[in-house]
Amino acid sequence: MRNYLLNLDLNFINYLITGNKLMMEKIIEFVKTPIKVSYKERKDYNSFDKVVLNPLFLFAIVFFVTFQAFSISGDQEATPSDSALGNAMVYFERGDFDNAILQLEEIVENFPGTSASHQAKFYLGRTAFLNGNNDKAKLYISESVKKLKYAPLKKEAYMMLGKLEKDVNKALKHFDDAFNNALSSSERKLIMITKAEKLIKNNEKERALQVLDEIDKDIAVYNEFFEEIYGYALSLN
């Protein structure tokens, strides 16, 4: 009887271990999988899409905007424009981009000149960028970037402008501005790789390799993207 109970306890422990392992694998898979959007297949996502459509990234944006709405100027109550922006972020988190865009457009129209309006233009530009509507994206982001108060948003805005800008030198300036607003070494690494990618597209092998060689190799993120871009650079004539 005692051995039976011992075996039962061991089986139960193994069951819990297996169950926890499966749960952790599902959580990790969820975190690693970008959300699905209606206008693009997951297999067509580029490295930048995978970052901005990551569930953790979207959750961080929602948390950031919601927290900001209740902390501006030390007020306990959010303004109507801040509340509307928070609602739009919830739609984004759910992947409901149609309602998010409608909410953002109403903020721009009804609350011009406010911090929420500048952020709404940023998110409208970001959505247009992901949707491949480059002219609209550049218009909204250019209008909002210098009026954004928060470094993470400015960093992402300058990155998008760098990718959208056809003039290489202007694009590099945008990437430099993004670099100056980055808050972590991993973000700075991504910006530098993207900067090198822009140079490669302009067939500037030496400048691209110079940028890539300046990257700290001890930063253990975006290694696959780094190797891909470095390989492209070496393949240029």
Side-chain angles (χ1 to χ4, degrees):
M1 181 67 176
R2 184 176 178 180
N3 289 335
Y4 172 77
L5 292 175
L6 179 60
N7 289 334
L8 182 62
D9 290 340
L10 290 174
N11 288 336
F12 182 67
I13 291 171
N14 288 332
Y15 170 77
L16 290 178
I17 292 172
T18 303
N20 288 336
K21 183 178 179 181
L22 289 173
M23 182 178 294
M24 284 302 299
E25 288 174 352
K26 288 183 178 180
I27 292 172
I28 291 170
E29 182 64 24
F30 170 75
V31 169
K32 290 171 60 179
T33 304
I35 68 168
K36 191 176 187 308
V37 293
S38 59
Y39 49 80
K40 187 182 288 189
E41 295 294 328
R42 282 199 181 103
K43 62 182 177 62
D44 297 324
Y45 290 174
N46 58 36
S47 298
F48 192 71
D49 294 337
K50 291 175 182 178
V51 172
V52 298
L53 291 173
N54 182 277
L56 283 181
F57 183 86
L58 292 172
F59 173 79
I61 289 177
V62 174
F63 176 82
F64 173 77
V65 173
T66 304
F67 175 80
Q68 165 205 321
F70 288 95
S71 61
I72 291 176
S73 302
D75 294 336
Q76 295 301 311
E77 268 187 53
T79 65
S81 61
D82 294 327
S83 297
L85 185 61
N87 290 336
M89 294 303 100
V90 172
Y91 284 126
F92 268 125
E93 185 186 30
R94 295 173 179 171
D96 187 352
F97 287 88
D98 290 337
N99 278 318
I101 291 170
L102 288 174
Q103 185 81 57
L104 293 171
E105 289 175 340
E106 289 180 4
I107 293 170
V108 172
E109 181 178 352
N110 296 331
F111 306 102
T114 63
S115 176
S117 175
H118 301 321
Q119 290 189 53
K121 286 185 178 181
F122 163 79
Y123 289 115
L124 285 169
R126 179 176 178 272
T127 304
F129 175 84
L130 292 172
N131 199 23
N133 193 339
N134 293 342
D135 291 337
K136 188 175 182 180
K138 190 173 182 179
L139 175 64
Y140 275 126
I141 298 170
S142 297
E143 288 180 354
S144 64
V145 63
K146 292 185 178 180
K147 297 174 183 177
L148 296 170
K149 296 180 179 179
Y150 305 100
L153 302 186
K154 292 176 78 73
K155 180 263 302 180
E156 188 181 347
Y158 280 122
M159 277 196 74
M160 288 186 285
L161 287 175
K163 292 173 76 70
L164 291 168
E165 181 58 59
K166 295 179 180 178
D167 184 294
V168 174
N169 290 325
K170 290 181 180 179
L172 298 183
K173 175 63 169 61
H174 289 316
F175 287 126
D176 289 341
D177 289 333
F179 188 92
N180 292 333
N181 282 280
L183 300 180
S184 69
S185 58
S186 60
E187 290 176 333
R188 288 188 282 272
K189 179 175 180 179
L190 176 61
I191 292 165
M192 292 183 73
I193 298 172
T194 309
K195 182 178 179 178
E197 182 183 33
K198 191 76 175 186
L199 289 166
I200 290 169
K201 290 179 178 178
N202 200 47
N203 205 37
E204 297 192 44
K205 177 179 181 178
E206 296 304 321
R207 291 178 74 187
L209 287 173
Q210 182 179 358
V211 171
L212 292 169
D213 288 338
E214 290 175 357
I215 295 174
D216 185 351
K217 306 301 186 296
D218 292 331
I219 303 172
V221 290
Y222 303 118
N223 289 334
E224 185 177 341
F225 186 31
F226 174 84
E227 291 170 3
E228 176 187 347
I229 298 303
Y230 208 100
Y232 284 152
L234 291 175
S235 68
L236 294 177
N237 295 326

